[in-house]
Structures are given as structure tokens and as C-alpha cells.
Amino acid sequence: MRIVLLGAPGSGKGTQSQRLVQRFGIPQISTGDLLRSAVARGTPLGMKAKDVMAAGKLVDDATVLGMIEERLAEPDVAKGFILDGFPRTIAQAEGLDRMLGQIGKPLTAVVQMEVPNAELVRRIAGRRSCQNCGRVYNIYSMPVGAAVVCPSCPDNPPLYQRPDDNEATVIERLKVYEAQTRPLVGFYGKRGLLQTIDATGEVDAITELLIGVLNSPVAAQARQVARAVPARKSAAKPKPKPKPKVKVKAKARAKARTSSRAKTQTKAKARARPKVKAKAKAKKSAPRRKVVRRAAAKKKKQAPRRKK
Ligand code: AP5
């Protein structure tokens, strides 16, 4: 199964992905988690993404696609994967199509999780996460008066609130979702991959709904079509044929020989040229001077002597 979970911030993509991981034994790939990890480690990518995420905007397509390409090259995705929070723009979806097309493993299902905006804002305001295990909780579904700690980790570390889960950023994230991510509904709809679920209600009930659509005839047919898709290896740029080393060496040697011969000839010419010119000058100028002198003497003899 190669699945995309689409949905607005707070629609439950992360929560349901973790459950699908248990059910199908395939990894969850969350671009939000990958970016948060880069921010926490202070990598160059993380430093670039930090302010963009805090403002509720989208990190640029090239960065996210590069991150996904690296992740899809890891061996644990061979059996399938759940993409959570990716793609988020048409350019990302087209990039993903190209990547998967080249390995002959197209998507098998895209599920759009619909939740009304008021519920999204409530869920995001109550969200708390564990930095240790990555599990996501909500203070509204915790027993009243319970400590806000991770019940799954042995030392029960305190849960934290994501820096982008404040009111102003949430409003921006919802706007960005409508403008840049919602168009993917049409994109995948046209490809016959999209199924939509109502993602309001109990978490367990939504999981069952999700598993239902992933096992539906529509998804089964998409998987069958995907199995028949060959790898589009030709889509990758063919590498230029390496020229045989011997030839290159021979060529280089010949070139060097020619150029050194040319240099020697040029030097010799340069040295020879002034001598030839000087001789020629000497030949030309010498007789002319004699002729001029003889003519002057003749003129002197012939000239009548002035009377005193
Ligand atoms: P990301 O981490 O992906 O955030 P998001 O898409 O905004 O989604 P959320 O994680 O907020 O919500 P979710 O749908 O996973 O809901 P959850 O299960 O946690 O991205 C963060 C930022 O990174 C982006 O703003 C952007 O800057 C950047 N980024 C990430 N991917 C990118 C990309 N591809 N391109 C560019 N930039 C990218 O649930 C929410 C809460 O509700 C939880 O508390 C949960 O316990 C609770 N809950 C879940 N289900 C239910 C239910 N049925 N009933 C009641 N409560 C529920």
C-alpha cells in the first residue's frame, strides 16, 4: 500500500497514520515530523525551515521534495508507506508522481479527511505531543485533572505544545491549506485515486472507516493497476557514455605534441623574422646610399665654377 492522507491541519492525519502503521506494518512518512526533527537538530535545512513553519507557511517545494526523495530511498518503504502531510502543493504531487513512476510504484490510495474548521481549531489548541516517542494526545480527551505527561514512555516525560499551534499561526495554516493544498482533491480525483471520509467522531471509529476505504473495491482496483505499472527507467536522463580512457589519453598526448610543436615553430619564426628583415633592409639601403653619393659628386663636377 502506498497511501497519501490528505486533510487540513488538525484533521487527524498524524493520529490515524500511527494506527495504520500498527495495522499494515508500513512506515509513516510525515514531512512535518522530518522538518521538526531538522529544526531540533539545528541542521541547515532546519534553520531554513524554522521561521517558515513558525509563520504557518509552507516550506519550499524543492526542499520538501529533496527530503522525500531521500526518505523514499530507504529500505523500509519497499513494502509501502503512509504519507502524512505530503504532498501539499500541486508541484509536490507532480514531483511525487515522477519519483514513484521511475520506480514503477505509483500511489494506491489517497484519502481526504474532512473536518469542519471550528473542530480543527479546537483540536489544535488542545494538542500535546511527546518529544520522546512522538505520540500525539489532546488535553480535551485526557481524564480531568490528569498530569499532562506521556503515559506510554517509562519515565512519563511532560508533553509539549508545538510552537506553531498558537491561534494566529493556526488561522494562517488553514488559509494556506485552502489555497495550496485543497487543489490536490481535484488532482487526485481526476486520477481516480481519491476517497473522502468524514473524520469527525471517535478516533477508533475513524480508523475503522479509513481501513474500510483502503480495502474498498476502488482501492483494490487502484492496487491492481499499480501492480501492472512498469518502472519508467527511461524517464531518467540517460548518462553520457564514458569515452574510453586510452583514447582520451592518446588524444591528450597528440594535442600536447601538436601544441608544443606549434609553440616551437612560432618561437623559431619569431627569432628568425627580425634577422631576415635586417638583412633585407641592409641590402636595400646600402646601394641606394652609394648611388646617392655618386650622383652628388657628378653634379659637383658638372657645375660651372663661380667667378671670383
Ligand atoms: P505538519 O506537522 O504536517 O502539520 P499539519 O499538516 O498542519 O497537520 P497537523 O500535524 O497539525 O495535524 P494532523 O492532521 O496530523 O492532526 P493530529 O493527528 O496531530 O506540518 C507542520 C508545518 O511543517 C507546516 O505548517 C509547514 O510549515 C511545514 N510542512 C510540513 N509538511 C510540509 C510540506 N509537505 N510542504 C511544505 N511545508 C510543510 O491531530 C490533531 C489533534 O487532534 C491531536 O491533539 C489529536 O489527539 C486530536 N485528534 C485527532 N483525531 C481526533 C478525533 N477524531 N477527535 C478528537 N480529537 C482528535
Side-chain angles (χ1 to χ4, degrees):
M1 282 185 172
R2 292 178 290 276
I3 307 162
V4 167
L5 291 188
L6 279 183
S11 56
K13 303 181 297 291
T15 304
Q16 295 301 334
S17 294
Q18 287 175 358
R19 286 159 167 251
L20 296 181
V21 167
Q22 304 295 325
R23 185 66 74 106
F24 297 121
I26 51 177
Q28 166 197 15
I29 302 176
S30 156
T31 39
D33 285 349
L34 291 173
L35 288 166
R36 273 185 290 280
S37 151
V39 171
R41 286 180 285 123
T43 65
L45 190 154
M47 306 226 285
K48 203 167 95 179
K50 191 178 178 186
D51 293 343
V52 180
M53 292 170 79
K57 308 268 188 218
L58 293 185
V59 174
D60 67 280
D61 291 332
T63 302
V64 176
L65 281 166
M67 218 167 63
I68 283 289
E69 193 166 18
E70 264 181 32
R71 183 64 186 88
L72 290 179
E74 286 176 30
D76 64 331
V77 300
K79 276 192 198 162
F81 49 78
I82 305 148
L83 289 172
D84 157 17
F86 176 89
R88 256 175 151 103
T89 62
I90 297 284
Q92 289 182 16
E94 287 170 345
L96 176 67
D97 258 11
R98 270 196 300 278
M99 278 180 224
L100 298 180
Q102 279 171 18
I103 53 171
K105 292 187 170 178
L107 292 173
T108 57
V110 178
V111 184
Q112 164 73 2
M113 300 170 66
E114 285 292 359
V115 175
N117 271 14
E119 171 67 1
L120 293 173
V121 174
R122 198 187 77 91
R123 285 187 189 179
I124 291 175
R127 171 168 48 197
R128 299 291 184 275
S129 313
C130 175
Q131 208 134 28
N132 189 35
C133 69
R135 284 197 178 81
V136 176
Y137 302 92
N138 203 291
I139 50 170
Y140 300 125
S141 49
M142 282 179 170
V144 181
V148 187
V149 294
C150 181
S152 310
C153 287
D155 48 351
N156 301 129
L159 300 177
Y160 85 103
Q161 186 170 22
R162 270 170 44 178
D164 59 343
D165 276 356
N166 60 73
E167 205 182 326
T169 310
V170 169
I171 291 168
E172 182 60 27
R173 281 161 63 196
L174 291 175
K175 269 194 212 162
V176 167
Y177 171 77
E178 287 303 327
Q180 301 191 52
T181 310
R182 177 76 75 181
L184 293 179
V185 170
F187 181 91
Y188 287 120
K190 274 187 208 152
R191 284 163 171 71
L193 281 172
L194 187 85
Q195 299 191 77
T196 303
I197 62 163
D198 173 2
T200 52
E202 287 297 313
V203 174
D204 287 347
I206 296 164
T207 308
E208 289 315 311
L209 204 57
L210 206 44
I211 289 168
V213 298
L214 291 173
N215 286 324
S216 69
V218 176
Q221 199 193 342
R223 280 200 295 279
Q224 213 167 355
V225 170
R227 255 179 244 129
V229 173
R232 222 175 34 220
K233 291 236 166 78
S234 56
K237 266 190 184 174
K239 280 186 185 172
K241 270 188 184 174
K243 288 177 189 167
K245 278 184 183 173
V246 187
K247 271 193 182 171
V248 172
K249 272 188 181 171
K251 243 185 177 180
R253 251 187 264 129
K255 205 177 168 186
R257 238 184 279 133
T258 320
S259 72
S260 73
R261 206 182 299 145
K263 268 184 196 170
T264 322
Q265 279 173 359
T266 320
K267 273 184 187 174
K269 266 185 193 170
R271 254 185 266 123
R273 217 174 287 130
K275 277 184 191 168
V276 174
K277 269 192 180 173
K279 268 187 183 174
K281 250 187 181 179
K283 262 186 193 171
K284 273 184 190 172
S285 58
R288 209 183 293 148
R289 248 183 274 134
K290 273 184 191 169
V291 173
V292 171
R293 250 184 264 136
R294 256 185 240 144
K298 211 176 175 183
K299 226 178 177 182
K300 221 179 172 183
K301 267 188 188 172
Q302 285 170 356
R305 280 192 180 178
R306 248 191 258 155
K307 283 178 186 173
K308 279 186 182 175

